[in-house]
Amino acid sequence: MERVYGSFDIIVIGGGHAGCEAALAAARLGMDTALITLSVENIAIMPCNPNIGGTSKGHLVRELDALGGEMGKNIDKTFIQSKMLNRSKGPAVHSLRAQADKAAYSNSMRRVLEAQDRLTLIQFEVTDLIIEEGRIRGVKVHGDGIFHAKAVIIATGTYLRARCVYGEVSVHSGPDSLPSADYLTEALRREGIAMQRYKTGTPARIDGRTVNYDVMIPQHGDERIVPFSFTNTPEAVAREQVDCYLTYTNERTHEIIMENIDRSPLYSGFIEGTGPRYCPSLEDKVVKFADKDRHQVFIEPEGMYTNEVYVAGMSTSLPYDVQVAMYRSVRGLENAQIVKNGYAIEYDCFEGKELLPTLALKKVENLYSAGQMNGSSGYEEAAAQGLMAGINAVRKLRGQEEIVLKRSDAYIGVLIDDLCTKESHEPYRMMTSRAEYRLLLRQDNADMRLTPIGHEIGLIDDERYAAFCEKMEAVKREELRLKNTPVGADKRTQAFLSAKGSTPLKTGSSLAELLKRPEMTYEMLGELDDERPDLPPAVCEQVAILIKYEGYINRQESAVARFKKLENKRLDPEMDYAEIGSLRIEAIQKLNEFKPVSIGQASRIAGVSPADISVLMVYLEKRRRSREKH
Ligand SMILES: Cc1cc2nc3c(=O)[nH]c(=O)nc-3n(C[C@H](O)[C@H](O)[C@H](O)COP(=O)(O)OP(=O)(O)OC[C@H]3O[C@@H](n4cnc5c(N)ncnc54)[C@H](O)[C@@H]3O)c2cc1C
């Protein structure tokens, strides 16, 4: 007999990176929210790499923070090493990455959840969904217990019908030997929702006491740390850091793998799911890049509470005995003791065409989904989706317009648009190359792009917003000041320029013009700039980028203006494209399958050509005119 165990406005299924952000957003926006998860001891765990951020993933975390999410603050509290990657390259690819103390990260996030008003943490496996007349009404748990809700967010990650595999071993379990969730897939299929089977993998964890670090290359963190959260200053997050270490695989390692490749579940077909091309296993790398005689291996501490270290670059699902030989063939790991062996995990997730850009599911009203469940891979990708799903579930229940960030607004916009527009057959990992407007979507200006939206939504409070506006004012003032400060071609200037190896001036110029010179930095110009105000480093960084890249930025902004024209041409989600006789069959099939919300989205669906888009626009224009006539 069914029993009602509770009733909430919003239920989030899953306490992973997506679920935490979704639940916090919903509760902080005033909804009575429950987070139901398999294990409250394992909140926001990192079953794979012990770090947050990295190229493009660092952008996602900063964007999430600028909108009012939690991940940035949580890693600022719990990192053990932090580094700005790609500093030698342009600002578009500068990316923060921080090594996390995994246990501290999980405990800290649990404390934030438990301290949040209107948020209830509950431990259960959700086994079914309650759907009436196409709308979600709640969830079921074991023993026919029922929790009612007006909206539900699925954030079940890598747990649905999860199977862990290494060599000939196959275990029916979630990551880190946690239970798998075996019932929800059927409930989703019952609603006609298309599911697919993905896989990902992880390397072994080794006892750090058995590693010979002396023969490896230490990798230090940055001296001056840039925090992930815009609410923090470098001084506030400064701390002693640990090192990571670099070593390499070698020909012996590759031999061991090739001698046993027939025992690899990847190559024997024992694994069904499709893995991420951009996070390949070592056996994949050795087979696909046979010409390479070595691959990088980074030894990364898992936390201050343990000796365990993560062997980045050696993800594998080879048999245990092969793993032992393979790891011990690496310089510095000759005596390595495996604490946890590497494995691959298969799990069920949605096909992207089931999702709207709001992260609502098309087939069940008020049912949303976020994270690995949507076909992405990565803590950061999951957290970003969780935040958006949480925000949109709240706005839907309040009858407010849901938030869809465009590809020109944020990496989060690129991520979600790709997930629900591009046909994908492998876990989706964010990369800077996916963002066509990446010069505008830098990690340093995430607040400029998104904090006003976070404030309007209600996740950024007035105090933080005031501080943000002050910063923006300071940036504008300083940019203007540099542009309006003349510099004469006088002795002092010429001496300064020659000292910097910069071309002398022929006529007068401005500080801003000088700053545009590649060899010039904002710091250097201080020697020539007597009126310089004392400004926070984040303001100086912004001013320098805006002036130095002004030309590129302007060009990209005009490209965005063109993009928005197509993006703002809305399409009726109920439209039957078979009505448009002159459209190609393939285009009709794809458009009816994906039901795009705009011409812009339609133009990005694989199999829909620019010619099809012209046919569609002509048809829509004719229809508009004929309707105007009647
Ligand atoms: C072995 C392994 C290797 C990985 N390798 C990589 C990698 O190389 N690169 C990379 O980018 N990412 C990798 N990942 C992925 C990364 O862990 C995920 O991207 C990230 O954790 C996804 O976050 P999420 O919130 O979507 O789901 P998860 O973090 O998986 O959290 C899902 C949550 O849902 C709960 N749950 C599930 N089903 C139910 C249910 N029915 N009822 C109640 N609660 C439920 C679980 O308890 C869990 O708390 C790997 C993951 C694993 C497991």
Side-chain angles (χ1 to χ4, degrees):
M1 186 182 84
E2 292 180 343
R3 294 177 201 284
V4 179
Y5 289 178
S7 182
F8 297 89
D9 297 320
I10 295 181
I11 288 177
V12 177
I13 310 173
H17 304 277
C20 293
E21 298 294 343
L24 285 169
R28 287 169 176 169
L29 291 171
M31 289 292 177
D32 224 2
T33 305
L35 174 52
I36 304 181
T37 194
L38 291 170
S39 158
V40 293
E41 260 70 52
N42 290 283
I43 294 293
I45 61 166
M46 296 176 179
C48 192
N49 47 312
N51 52 57
I52 296 280
T55 308
S56 78
K57 289 169 178 269
H59 295 62
L60 289 171
V61 182
R62 292 211 107 192
E63 292 181 355
L64 187 137
D65 180 77
L67 284 165
E70 192 63 28
M71 183 178 254
K73 291 190 191 124
N74 207 49
I75 186 65
D76 278 353
K77 283 187 252 173
T78 57
F79 74 80
I80 51 178
Q81 189 202 78
S82 180
K83 210 176 172 66
M84 182 66 82
L85 306 180
N86 305 325
R87 268 192 202 279
S88 60
K89 300 180 183 158
V93 289
H94 288 182
S95 286
L96 263 180
R97 190 181 69 184
Q99 298 300 124
D101 181 315
K102 285 185 168 183
Y105 187 94
S106 170
N107 294 339
S108 164
M109 186 61 92
R110 182 176 177 179
R111 272 197 302 281
V112 172
L113 296 175
E114 290 183 343
Q116 181 60 49
D117 291 344
R118 286 184 294 275
L119 179 50
T120 309
L121 207 48
I122 303 171
Q123 179 162 313
F124 262 123
E125 175 181 353
V126 170
T127 55
D128 203 344
L129 301 172
I130 305 168
I131 297 164
E132 291 159 8
E133 291 147 20
R135 178 184 282 225
I136 195 82
R137 295 291 182 198
V139 301
K140 281 191 186 170
V141 296
H142 283 304
D144 281 342
I146 287 177
F147 289 93
H148 286 304
K150 303 184 192 91
V152 170
I153 301 171
I154 300 177
T156 48
T158 55
Y159 289 74
L160 292 198
R161 292 191 321 125
R163 183 171 81 107
C164 294
V165 180
Y166 60 95
E168 297 83 16
V169 178
S170 164
V171 185
H172 198 57
S173 109
D176 290 342
S177 306
L178 289 161
S180 69
D182 301 330
Y183 302 90
L184 211 45
T185 298
E186 227 16 74
L188 294 159
R189 284 214 172 104
R190 194 184 59 221
E191 302 304 317
I193 297 170
M195 307 288 289
Q196 54 191 342
R197 192 113 175 115
Y198 273 1
K199 89 111 192 148
T200 186
T202 196
R205 305 318 191 258
I206 286 183
D207 183 334
R209 295 168 302 174
T210 65
V211 175
N212 177 6
Y213 295 107
D214 300 340
V215 298
M216 297 180 177
I217 308 156
Q219 311 288 304
H220 307 300
D222 285 344
E223 258 169 51
R224 187 175 164 284
I225 294 166
V226 177
F228 266 103
S229 178
F230 290 95
T231 59
N232 284 323
T233 61
E235 296 69 33
V237 298
R239 71 200 61 175
E240 209 174 314
Q241 303 182 64
V242 298
D243 284 341
C244 298
Y245 292 83
L246 170 61
T247 181
Y248 295 88
T249 63
N250 50 52
E251 280 172 23
R252 180 68 200 125
T253 319
H254 303 174
E255 264 167 30
I256 292 167
I257 291 171
M258 292 318 290
E259 284 159 9
N260 293 282
I261 203 69
D262 58 327
R263 296 176 60 199
S264 153
L266 272 180
Y267 288 89
S268 66
F270 192 32
I271 286 179
E272 298 156 39
T274 320
R277 220 170 334 150
Y278 300 107
C279 264
S281 66
L282 184 56
E283 44 269 37
D284 254 345
K285 286 192 270 188
V286 170
V287 170
K288 290 188 180 129
F289 310 107
D291 57 325
K292 283 195 82 177
D293 59 7
R294 69 179 190 166
H295 294 279
Q296 285 189 324
V297 176
F298 290 93
I299 305 298
E300 303 176 5
E302 294 253 311
M304 307 308 271
Y305 64 100
T306 174
N307 293 327
E308 253 181 69
V309 293
Y310 175 89
V311 190
M314 292 185 80
S315 172
T316 181
S317 55
L318 283 162
Y320 187 86
D321 57 305
V322 181
Q323 291 191 30
V324 172
M326 180 181 90
Y327 287 107
R328 288 190 178 166
S329 71
V330 171
R331 192 164 151 70
L333 299 182
E334 293 81 357
N335 305 312
Q337 172 59 52
I338 290 181
V339 178
K340 290 186 268 193
N341 60 273
Y343 64 94
I345 186 166
E346 281 182 349
Y347 55 94
D348 296 338
C349 59
F350 290 127
E351 290 194 20
K353 65 181 180 196
E354 297 294 340
L355 296 166
L356 286 168
T358 58
L359 293 183
L361 279 143
K362 291 175 181 170
K363 294 185 178 131
V364 182
E365 196 172 349
N366 292 0
L367 182 61
Y368 290 77
S369 176
Q372 199 96 3
M373 228 5 238
N374 292 346
S376 67
S377 189
Y379 314 136
E380 306 79 0
E381 288 85 343
Q385 293 167 59
L387 181 75
M388 297 315 294
I391 290 169
N392 284 336
V394 171
R395 295 177 74 87
K396 176 75 173 19
L397 292 183
R398 290 201 174 128
Q400 296 168 312
E401 192 188 349
E402 293 172 79
I403 306 285
V404 176
L405 297 172
K406 292 190 177 61
R407 302 180 71 87
S408 50
D409 298 329
Y411 272 83
I412 297 175
V414 174
L415 166 68
I416 295 175
D417 183 65
D418 283 350
L419 285 174
C420 54
T421 307
K422 294 206 170 124
E423 250 174 273
S424 174
H425 302 294
E426 61 175 274
Y428 176 100
R429 190 191 178 311
M430 182 45 80
M431 296 184 285
T432 48
S433 56
R434 294 189 194 277
E436 54 273 41
Y437 307 115
R438 55 185 164 277
L439 183 59
L440 303 180
L441 307 184
R442 304 180 314 275
Q443 53 89 32
D444 59 78
N445 73 352
D447 56 346
M448 284 166 84
R449 295 180 278 118
L450 300 172
T451 294
I453 300 174
H455 184 245
E456 194 206 310
I457 290 168
L459 285 175
I460 299 284
D461 63 26
D462 293 344
E463 190 194 337
R464 180 170 169 182
Y465 189 60
F468 162 76
C469 292
E470 213 176 291
K471 175 185 170 185
M472 291 306 109
E473 278 309 309
V475 169
K476 260 200 227 112
R477 264 197 315 274
E478 180 62 358
E479 198 186 348
L480 220 56
R481 188 185 72 82
L482 292 182
K483 285 185 175 164
N484 297 337
T485 305
V487 177
D490 54 38
K491 241 204 204 131
R492 179 183 172 206
T493 308
Q494 304 299 32
F496 165 80
L497 292 172
S498 106
K500 304 297 174 199
S502 194
T503 337
L505 282 176
K506 291 198 181 65
T507 60
S509 176
S510 74
L511 286 175
E513 281 312 312
L514 288 185
L515 182 53
K516 282 193 176 153
R517 296 182 175 198
E519 68 279 11
M520 206 55 75
T521 67
Y522 180 85
E523 287 66 31
M524 279 181 190
L525 269 185
E527 291 171 38
L528 210 53
D529 183 1
D530 306 329
E531 309 302 318
R532 170 164 296 189
D534 180 20
L535 294 167
V539 171
C540 307
E541 178 192 28
Q542 219 35 250
V543 171
I545 292 172
L546 291 173
I547 288 179
K548 271 188 171 304
Y549 295 88
E550 190 171 24
Y552 301 104
I553 290 173
N554 293 346
R555 265 201 298 283
Q556 217 156 70
E557 274 165 355
S558 7
V560 166
R562 289 191 296 279
F563 157 78
K564 282 190 175 161
K565 273 216 189 92
L566 288 185
E567 222 44 37
N568 296 336
K569 282 199 187 318
R570 312 309 295 172
L571 286 169
D572 169 4
E574 302 309 317
M575 178 129 112
D576 178 2
Y577 292 89
E579 287 166 16
I580 311 175
S582 46
L583 261 186
R584 286 177 318 112
I585 305 245
E586 187 195 5
I588 291 172
Q589 275 165 352
K590 286 292 165 84
L591 290 167
N592 275 339
E593 203 179 338
F594 277 84
K595 298 284 184 195
V597 296
S598 70
I599 292 280
Q601 191 189 14
S603 68
R604 293 188 291 275
I605 295 171
V608 178
S609 69
D612 297 320
I613 294 296
S614 317
V615 168
L616 179 55
M617 287 174 81
V618 170
Y619 170 81
L620 292 171
E621 184 54 22
K622 272 201 196 130
R623 198 175 65 169
R624 189 184 64 75
R625 288 221 188 107
S626 72
R627 283 190 181 158
E628 260 173 17
K629 278 203 203 110
H630 298 103

